[in-house]
């Protein structure tokens, strides 16, 4: 079932009212004309009443059109009416208003009947407008109409009871009677309309009031001079004064001077620009509280579009703000602590490296002495030793030599990442070829198939990458020893999804289960008598690559070969770069 | 005929012995004076302190100078010698275990004539020292006759 909308009901009522009023007018005005005898007056009056009718109806038409309720939103209106049904201004009970209409009209009839007879020739029906107006004001359309009806019927009854025949009543009395009815209806209708619009305004006002007084946000309106026109309970709570104390005052009376000055400056700016804006406000209240608000402020315009005031809605976010600040503070503390720890760790690490470096370095002198004097013994006092003693001497010299190699290896490993990293374009293909040429020159008897992809370039430290390529090519060279079709390939490759460089061989390879050990200094996956070495090459290469912020990985199959790939990030940022250089003076 | 002395500034006695031994093999051993720290080296060259009265006009043909020395470091000694007109052109060879690029650069910057790393291997060491001795005593022309 569809309820007729407010709009269609309005149109129906307006049209119905027009029909009744127009018919009544035609009837009554024609009666009015019949009072005149000469045809000229009748014609003139007829034109005048026509013009009057057109002007009156046109005015009413205009007014009616203005207040036609909108087609859409009527549902909303009903919803609002439903929501606020309980909060509407109380209507008097129907029985009371209707009884009042009847009683007051009857009382007027009684009064009218008992009026001095001198008035008899003028029925003074205008008197009955009083009960009609009172009834309509009190009860609206219904009681107004009832009062009109009672008055009209009462008058008619009295006329009939006096003359015995209603039609015998003088025509001007009949005219008055007719006007009474029409006026009564008009007053009742007007009264109903005004009652309804008052009720509607009341609904809106109450809705607004509920929202404004119910919200925990401060809501306020100020005039152009910054005086508060409205401030809700929440606003009063924040300010620390009652609403009555706030209304009519400006911020200077409500906030400490500094806050007030800032507030009023901002308000003027908003009224000047005419734009609504949302921002954070920090306020000190008169009782010393520091509050933070998220505030939306905007201008209030008059009908001419002039900003005549300002509205504001402020949400207190002090707690949230405090929590945010705390989190920010905690984060900053955490970051600072992490930075401190990192710096400490880095310093400790550097210190350890320095110690390792100095230690390795300082081992050289005693080592030189051991091997030197052993050799002197061997060379200059050989005649005093038997074969076994000489053998022992040889072992001392050999061990010293091995130790020397180890020391040089660890020094090279530590030294390779010291100092600043100078990034430039490095021709990897050329580095690989140079190293292969060098190895071929040293061992011309070995036949190794070389496949070096041309123009492999990468951005990094030229000296360090030279060390990397030397180690990788040397390893490939070493581990393909004894392979009949030894092949060393240097190609572009992909590692961790990044373009990089790979050095592959078909040599001895290794078991991937031990791959991690490859990167540790002095860890070896082959016996010394198979492939000699100290296990420093790959560790050094990886250290250089990591220093560049890149990554190096090895993969292999035992007996089939190994592939070592690395990439360097091709950006400026590189992790692990040291701040400043190390300074070592080791004599 | 110029002076044919070598001044060795070396605090490590084993290195000293090895150097002396190496020079001896090249028949240069009796041309060598040894001091053990930087201050001693300066006193020797300027005829001061314990070397008061030494004929300091007599400069050695070459100074073999270690870097890591007690009291005054080799680089400080080098700077003092270069600052004094008397020793401004004195041939000085830095003979050290250090392989630090900074030490090397600093040495040349301070006016060293040569920078030689002590080899770890004894044979190489002997050969290097011998070559140094021969070069600076026989081949090289000293600044003053």
């Amino acid at each position: 079932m569809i309820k007729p909308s407010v709009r269609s009901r309005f149109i129906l009522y307006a049209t119905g009212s027009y029909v009744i009023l127009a018919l009544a007018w035609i009837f009554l005005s024609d009666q009015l004309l019949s009072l005149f005898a000469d045809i000229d007056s009748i014609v003139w009056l007829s034109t005048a009443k026509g013009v009057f009718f057109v002007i009156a109806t046109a005015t009413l038409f205009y007014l009616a059109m203005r207040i036609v309720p909108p087609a859409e939103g009527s549902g909303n209106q009903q919803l609002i009416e439903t929501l606020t049904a309980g909060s509407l201004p109380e209507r008097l009970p129907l029985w009371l208003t209707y009884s009042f209409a009847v009683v007051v009209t009857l009382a007027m009839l009684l009064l009218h009947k008992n009026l001095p007879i001198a008035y008899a020739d003028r029925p003074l029906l205008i008197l009955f407008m009083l009960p009609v107006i009172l009834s309509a004001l009190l009860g609206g359309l219904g009681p107004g109409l009832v009062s009109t009806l009672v008055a009209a019927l009462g008058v008619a009854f009295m006329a009939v009871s006096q003359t015995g025949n209603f039609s015998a009543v003088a025509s001007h009395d009949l005219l008055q009677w007719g006007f009474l009815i029409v006026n009564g209806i008009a007053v009742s209708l007007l009264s109903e309309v005004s009652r309804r619009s008052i009720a509607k305004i009341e609904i809106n006002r109450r809705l607004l009031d509920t929202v404004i007084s119910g919200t925990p946000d401060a809501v306020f309106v100020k005039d152009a001079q910054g005086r508060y026109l409205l401030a809700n309970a929440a606003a009063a709570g924040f300010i620390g004064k009652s609403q009555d104390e706030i209304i009519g005052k400006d911020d200077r009376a409500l906030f400490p001077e500094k806050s007030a000055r800032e507030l009023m400056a901002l308000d003027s700016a908003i009224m000047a620009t005419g734009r609504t804006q949302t921002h954070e406000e920090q306020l000190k209240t008169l009782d010393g509280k520091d509050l933070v608000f998220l505030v939306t402020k905007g201008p209030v315009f008059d009908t001419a579009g002039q900003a005549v005031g300002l509205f504001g809605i402020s949400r207190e976010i002090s707690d949230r703000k405090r929590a945010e600040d705390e989190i920010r503070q905690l984060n900053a503390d955490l970051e600072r602590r992490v930075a401190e720890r990192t710096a400490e760790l880095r310093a400790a690490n550097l210190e350890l490296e320095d110690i390792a470096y100095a230690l390795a370095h300082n081992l050289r002198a005693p080592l030189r002495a051991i091997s030197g004097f052993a050799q002197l013994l061997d060379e200059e006092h050989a005649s005093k030793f038997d074969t076994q003693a000489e053998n022992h001497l040889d072992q001392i010299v050999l061990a010293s030599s091995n130790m020397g190699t180890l020391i040089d290896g660890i020094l090279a490993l530590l030294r390779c990442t010291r100092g600043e990293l100078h990034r430039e374009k490095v021709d990897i293909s050329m580095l690989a070829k140079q190293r292969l040429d060098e190895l071929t020159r040293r061992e011309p008897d070995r036949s190794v198939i070389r496949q070096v992809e041309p123009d492999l370039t990468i951005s990094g430290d030229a000296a360090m990458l030279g060390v990397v390529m030397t180690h990788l090519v040397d390893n490939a060279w070493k581990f393909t020893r004894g392979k009949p079709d030894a092949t060393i390939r240097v190609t572009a490759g992909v590692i961790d999804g990044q373009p990089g460089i790979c050095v592959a061989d078909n040599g001895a390879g290794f078991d991937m289960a031990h791959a991690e050990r490859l990167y540790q200094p002095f860890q070896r996956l082959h016996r010394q008598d198979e492939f000699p070495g100290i296990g420093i090459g790959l560790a050094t290469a990886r250290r250089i690559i990591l220093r560049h912020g890149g990554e190096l990985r090895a993969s292999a199959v035992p007996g089939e070969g190994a592939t070592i790939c690395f990439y360097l990030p091709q950006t400026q940022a590189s992790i692990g770069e040291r701040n400043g250089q190390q300074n070592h003076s080791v004599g | 005929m110029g002076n044919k002395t070598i001044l060795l500034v070396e605090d490590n006695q084993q290195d000293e012995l090895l150097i002396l031994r190496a020079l001896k093999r090249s028949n240069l051993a009796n041309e060598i004076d040894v001091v053990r720290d930087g201050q001693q080296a300066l006193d020797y060259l300027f005829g001061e302190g314990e070397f008061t009265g030494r004929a300091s006009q007599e400069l050695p043909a070459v100074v073999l100078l270690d870097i890591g020395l007690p009291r005054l470091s080799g680089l400080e000694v080098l700077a003092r010698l270069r600052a004094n007109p008397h020793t401004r052109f004195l041939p000085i060879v830095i003979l050290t275990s250090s392989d630090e690029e900074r030490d090397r650069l600093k040495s040349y910057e301070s006016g060293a004539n040569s920078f030689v790393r002590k080899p770890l291997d004894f044979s190489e060491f002997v050969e290097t020292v011998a070559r140094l001795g021969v070069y600076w005593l026989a081949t090289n022309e000293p600044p003053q006759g």
Side-chain angles (χ1 to χ4, degrees):
Chain A
M1 195 178 78
I2 299 167
K3 277 190 174 178
S5 72
V6 176
R7 181 185 170 87
S8 55
R9 243 185 314 167
F10 176 87
I11 293 170
L12 206 63
Y13 288 155
T15 313
S17 308
Y18 171 75
V19 169
I20 293 167
L21 283 173
L23 286 175
W25 173 256
I26 290 166
F27 173 70
L28 290 171
S29 59
D30 288 352
Q31 286 291 320
L32 197 67
L33 286 183
S34 67
L35 295 177
F36 294 87
D38 62 313
I39 191 73
D40 285 348
S41 300
I42 289 175
V43 170
W44 183 83
L45 275 174
S46 181
T47 308
K49 93 177 169 77
V51 169
F52 172 77
F53 182 79
V54 169
I55 289 173
T57 51
T59 309
L60 287 174
F61 182 66
Y62 172 75
L63 291 175
M65 291 294 276
R66 271 175 66 103
I67 56 169
V68 180
E72 57 280 308
S74 56
N76 281 347
Q77 195 62 34
Q78 276 178 352
L79 182 67
I80 287 171
E81 278 172 23
T82 318
L83 281 175
T84 54
S87 61
L88 268 177
E90 272 180 51
R91 279 200 126 169
L92 292 170
L94 280 182
W95 66 266
L96 186 66
T97 55
Y98 280 94
S99 308
F100 175 82
V102 173
V103 169
V104 79
T105 314
L106 288 176
M108 187 51 81
L109 272 171
L110 199 64
L111 181 73
H112 184 262
K113 186 167 178 255
N114 294 325
L115 277 177
I117 217 68
Y119 293 104
D121 56 338
R122 283 290 178 269
L124 271 184
L125 295 189
I126 191 75
L127 284 179
F128 289 98
M129 285 316 294
L130 183 63
V132 170
I133 289 170
L134 285 176
S135 304
L137 281 180
L138 196 68
L141 182 64
L145 288 179
V146 165
S147 174
T148 309
L149 185 69
V150 170
L153 290 178
V155 170
F157 175 76
M158 281 191 295
V160 171
S161 67
Q162 277 174 11
T163 59
N165 183 1
F166 190 64
S167 59
V169 178
S171 63
H172 60 266
D173 290 348
L174 195 62
L175 195 64
Q176 267 207 32
W177 188 72
F179 269 115
L180 171 65
I181 294 173
V182 171
N183 284 347
I185 292 172
V187 164
S188 302
L189 276 173
L190 277 175
S191 170
E192 182 68 21
V193 167
S194 93
R195 278 174 59 89
R196 278 173 184 248
S197 53
I198 287 170
K200 200 170 285 174
I201 289 166
E202 181 65 13
I203 286 170
N204 284 340
R205 195 189 67 76
R206 285 192 178 221
L207 268 180
L208 207 58
D209 200 49
T210 308
V211 173
I212 289 176
S213 53
T215 177
D217 295 349
V219 179
F220 52 88
V221 177
K222 302 174 184 176
D223 67 13
Q225 280 71 46
R227 291 177 297 229
Y228 282 86
L229 299 174
L230 180 153
N232 68 350
F238 290 131
I239 293 174
K241 289 182 183 291
S242 76
Q243 281 167 276
D244 289 341
E245 285 174 297
I246 293 170
I247 303 300
K249 302 223 177 70
D250 64 24
D251 288 319
R252 280 173 299 198
L254 304 172
F255 291 99
E257 199 199 329
K258 184 167 168 284
S259 289
R261 217 174 30 240
E262 286 168 5
L263 280 176
M264 295 182 79
L266 184 72
D267 292 355
S268 323
I270 287 171
M271 279 199 282
T273 59
R275 268 199 297 275
T276 300
Q277 66 172 60
T278 301
H279 57 267
E280 278 183 16
E281 265 176 22
Q282 239 167 339
L283 285 183
K284 206 174 187 63
T285 62
L286 277 177
D287 46 9
K289 280 182 290 184
D290 274 312
L291 299 177
V292 184
F293 291 95
L294 183 65
V295 185
T296 299
K297 278 181 174 173
V300 175
F301 295 113
D302 64 8
T303 46
Q306 276 295 312
V308 292
L310 173 127
F311 73 87
I313 301 166
S314 301
R315 168 159 298 180
E316 203 219 334
I317 54 167
S318 310
D319 288 345
R320 196 210 297 174
K321 199 79 187 155
R322 235 190 321 276
E324 278 175 15
D325 284 349
E326 254 168 54
I327 288 172
R328 199 170 302 131
Q329 187 62 42
L330 283 175
N331 272 337
D333 283 354
L334 201 62
E335 262 168 46
R336 187 175 46 73
R337 288 221 308 262
V338 168
E340 277 173 13
R341 294 280 151 80
T342 310
E344 280 169 20
L345 275 178
R346 187 169 293 159
N349 226 348
L350 286 181
E351 205 182 314
L352 270 181
E353 263 180 34
D354 288 353
I355 290 171
Y357 192 84
L359 183 66
H361 209 281
N362 284 310
L363 283 177
R364 290 164 62 106
L367 183 62
R368 187 164 48 238
I370 293 169
S371 83
F373 288 109
Q375 226 159 314
L376 277 178
L377 273 181
D378 194 23
E379 288 172 16
E380 298 180 7
H381 307 278
S383 56
K384 293 172 192 156
F385 293 134
D386 57 18
T387 321
Q388 198 172 15
E390 216 170 303
N391 231 335
H392 291 168
L393 265 182
D394 286 347
Q395 288 306 319
I396 293 177
V397 172
L398 187 65
S400 306
S401 167
N402 284 345
M403 188 170 162
T405 316
L406 287 175
I407 288 174
D408 282 346
I410 196 76
L411 285 175
L413 172 84
L414 291 170
R415 201 187 314 115
C416 73
T417 51
R418 293 165 93 85
E420 270 181 65
L421 198 71
H422 300 286
R423 282 179 190 275
E424 57 189 303
K425 206 169 173 188
V426 179
D427 188 340
I428 294 293
S429 304
M430 202 192 66
L431 285 176
K433 275 188 203 141
Q434 280 175 350
R435 190 61 192 170
L436 282 166
D437 288 346
E438 168 73 22
L439 292 170
T440 310
R441 199 161 47 244
R442 282 195 210 167
E443 295 184 69
D445 297 340
R446 281 196 59 184
S447 90
V448 173
I449 302 163
R450 306 158 42 154
Q451 296 174 354
V452 179
E453 204 175 301
D455 301 327
L456 293 173
T457 58
I458 202 163
S459 163
D461 188 288
M464 292 190 196
L465 289 177
V467 173
V468 170
M469 288 315 291
T470 299
H471 283 305
L472 297 188
V473 170
D474 284 7
N475 273 348
W477 185 269
K478 180 163 76 182
F479 291 111
T480 48
R481 190 182 306 281
K483 279 264 173 182
D485 56 344
T487 308
I488 296 175
R489 292 187 302 126
V490 180
T491 58
V494 172
I495 163 170
D496 291 354
Q498 307 267 1
I501 307 265
C502 292
V503 178
D505 65 60
N506 59 348
F510 57 86
D511 187 347
M512 283 299 282
H514 309 303
E516 271 309 308
R517 283 178 52 203
L518 275 178
Y519 308 129
Q520 320 237 321
F522 310 125
Q523 293 285 335
R524 306 193 66 251
L525 297 183
H526 299 279
R527 286 206 322 271
Q528 195 70 29
D529 55 0
E530 294 171 318
F531 297 102
I534 58 169
I536 202 82
L538 210 49
T540 304
R542 182 151 192 266
R543 203 175 149 89
I544 291 172
I545 299 302
L546 292 186
R547 169 89 200 275
H548 279 79
E551 182 58 274
L552 179 145
R553 295 249 164 75
S555 59
V557 178
E560 289 180 25
T563 304
I564 318 288
C565 292
F566 67 88
Y567 84 87
L568 304 182
Q570 296 300 294
T571 58
Q572 286 306 310
S574 141
I575 51 169
E577 282 198 34
R578 299 195 180 167
N579 319 327
Q581 279 176 286
Q582 297 302 300
N583 187 1
H584 279 277
S585 286
V586 184
Chain B
M1 184 66 192
N3 193 343
K4 288 294 181 188
T5 315
I6 293 173
L7 176 64
L8 174 64
V9 190
E10 173 64 70
D11 69 312
N12 185 315
Q13 299 206 19
Q14 283 147 355
D15 274 356
E16 179 196 325
L17 277 174
L18 291 175
I19 290 168
L20 290 179
R21 171 66 62 153
L23 290 173
K24 191 177 155 195
R25 283 194 177 184
S26 313
N27 297 319
L28 296 164
N30 43 1
E31 317 273 351
I32 190 156
D33 281 336
V34 180
V35 289
R36 298 253 157 71
D37 65 51
Q39 187 57 53
Q40 246 190 337
L42 290 181
D43 287 349
Y44 175 96
L45 291 168
F46 296 133
E48 292 166 353
E50 59 180 289
F51 292 100
T52 310
R54 198 190 79 82
S56 61
Q57 294 312 111
E58 298 267 308
L59 287 177
V62 64
V63 179
L64 301 182
L65 184 61
D66 197 2
I67 289 186
L69 290 172
R71 299 217 276 178
L72 279 180
S73 85
L75 290 173
E76 280 171 299
V77 170
L78 179 58
R80 299 270 194 99
L81 292 179
R82 288 300 178 238
N84 191 307
H86 177 54
T87 50
R88 190 149 57 109
F89 298 120
L90 179 63
I92 295 173
V93 174
I94 302 292
L95 182 63
T96 178
S97 296
S98 170
D99 58 352
E100 284 282 320
E101 188 178 283
R102 288 176 74 86
D103 284 345
R104 201 167 69 235
L105 291 179
K106 188 77 193 152
S107 298
Y108 282 116
E109 204 174 273
S110 308
N113 299 78
S114 183
F115 186 98
V116 177
R117 241 188 100 195
K118 295 174 184 167
L120 251 183
D121 181 77
F122 179 67
S123 317
E124 261 181 72
F125 186 76
V126 168
E127 198 186 325
T128 302
V129 171
R131 244 189 281 150
L132 268 180
V134 170
Y135 175 80
W136 287 102
L137 290 185
T139 317
N140 188 53
E141 290 286 339
Q144 72 261 54

